[in-house]
Every structure is written in structure tokens, then in C-alpha cells.
Amino acid sequence: MTTAEDKGQAGGLAPDPDRCADRTACEGKVGVLAKQYLERGLLVPDHVITSVMMMELEKKQSQHWLLDGFPRTLVQAEALDRICELDLVINLNIPFETLKDRLSARWIHPASGRVYNMEFNPPQVHGIDDITGEPLIQREDDKPDAVAARLRKYKDAAKPVIELYKSRGVLHAFSGTETNKIWPYVYTLVSSKIRPVNSKEAD
């Protein structure tokens, strides 16, 4: 997770690169190309995902940025350097098997993009969307073997990025397996860097 502060006071969340092809913000030729890689359980190439993220971030030049899962490679980090200076970078150290199990439990409703997790946010009826009653599917890139392969590639690619931000003094690492135990520490850190946005300011 990376954050950058500009002159504005509103909060901004850019799309998760792994899900960008499902969002209206990433429609078009680049989004379609990204989706082709995701459906095969592959990491989206730097130039594709960087184009997606840069297009979205250009819309948020006057806002705070909170990026989830970007940058993941040195090429992406260099592209981000050209448009902003990061306030902090958060690295969550979560065991490999925990990540694989959680990601493999993810199912979606294709038409709407609604995401369910069979462990933490299951549908009311197994395999069925709560709203439409239509069947859920598991994406090819969410199946256990594809998840494991993607995590291994991510770890190799992310290592030099982590070292880069560590050398700049902006990296903060947290370890654990339970969100409710890690989140208070993350929230306190982020709040110390960027003033929280309340409902009145957001309006």
C-alpha cells in the first residue's frame, strides 16, 4: 500500500491492479488487454498495468492517493516517481499459505463484479449471487495453482521495490494473519501522515 499527498483534502483510492479489468475506470483497449492476462492466471505486464494506473492517477492530481498493490516492480516504481513523491509505503508480511488460501476462496458474480470470499464474506446460498440469484464463478487466476504461481512471481518482482522504499525511509512493515489485529496499527500510521477525511469533507 502506498500513499501520496498533494494539495487537495479529499481521499482517493485507485483500482487494485489485479481487478482493474473489471472496473469502469479501466475500460478500453488497455483494460481488455489486462483482462486477457488475468484470465490466464498471469501477472499483467508492467507497461499495461502502468498505463492503467497512470491514467487513473491523472484524474486525482489534487487528491491524496491510496494505492493498493501498486507499484509491484521497479519499472512501476520509476513511473510513479515521475508524477509524485510518496509519503509512506506499507508492506504486509502475511504467510504464503494464508495468502493462497484466502485468494483461492474468492468467487465473483461476472455481470456486476461483486466479489465473495467463501471464508469471510460468503454468499447466503453457496455458489449463488445474493442480489440476482445467478451463479458465481471462480476466475482462472483465483484457482489454487494459479494463485500460488502468481504469488511466487510477485514475491520475486516486489523484493527490489521493497528494498528501494526501505532505503528511502518510507517503508513500514506489519506482520500477521488477522486483519482486525493489523488494521489499527496501519490506520494509526496512515492517519499520522494524512489527515482522515470525514463525511463533511468528502461531500
Side-chain angles (χ1 to χ4, degrees), residues 97-202:
E97 288 300 320
T98 300
L99 284 174
K100 187 181 77 170
D101 291 346
R102 289 182 180 177
L103 292 173
S104 299
R106 185 161 50 188
W107 289 68
I108 68 166
H109 177 242
S112 67
R114 275 186 291 278
V115 178
Y116 296 87
N117 186 290
M118 296 306 172
E119 295 181 12
F120 302 104
N121 179 39
Q124 296 175 7
V125 178
H126 183 76
I128 300 297
D129 179 52
D130 289 346
I131 307 300
T132 65
E134 295 172 346
L136 303 176
I137 67 166
Q138 186 173 45
R139 297 171 60 118
E140 288 299 319
D141 62 316
D142 283 336
K143 293 181 179 179
D145 289 346
V147 167
R150 194 166 78 246
L151 287 174
R152 292 189 186 97
K153 291 179 181 178
Y154 167 74
K155 182 178 180 180
D156 291 341
K159 185 175 180 180
V161 179
I162 292 172
E163 292 301 320
L164 171 67
Y165 291 130
K166 184 177 180 180
S167 70
R168 294 181 181 179
V170 296
L171 180 72
H172 301 263
F174 299 90
S175 299
T177 60
E178 300 179 43
T179 302
N180 60 344
K181 292 183 178 180
I182 298 176
W183 171 243
Y185 297 101
V186 174
Y187 180 80
T188 298
L189 174 63
V190 174
S191 297
S192 72
K193 297 292 184 178
I194 298 177
R195 183 165 56 87
V197 178
N198 61 36
S199 58
K200 290 183 180 180
E201 291 173 328

Side-chain angles (χ1 to χ4, degrees), residues 1-15 53-68 70-71 76-77 79-90 165 190 193-195 197:
M1 180 184 296
T2 56
T3 69
E5 185 171 2
D6 209 316
K7 296 180 180 179
Q9 296 182 349
L13 178 63
M53 296 303 292
M54 293 301 105
M55 285 190 295
E56 185 67 12
L57 291 176
E58 286 177 0
K59 305 173 186 177
K60 302 179 182 296
Q61 289 290 336
S62 62
Q63 300 177 339
H64 301 314
W65 298 345
L66 173 60
L67 306 181
D68 182 7
F70 185 92
Q76 294 173 1
L80 194 56
D81 278 345
R82 290 194 287 269
I83 65 172
C84 73
E85 181 177 347
L86 300 181
D87 296 297
L88 64 93
V89 176
I90 296 173
Y165 291 130
V190 174
K193 297 292 184 178
I194 298 177
R195 183 165 56 87
V197 178

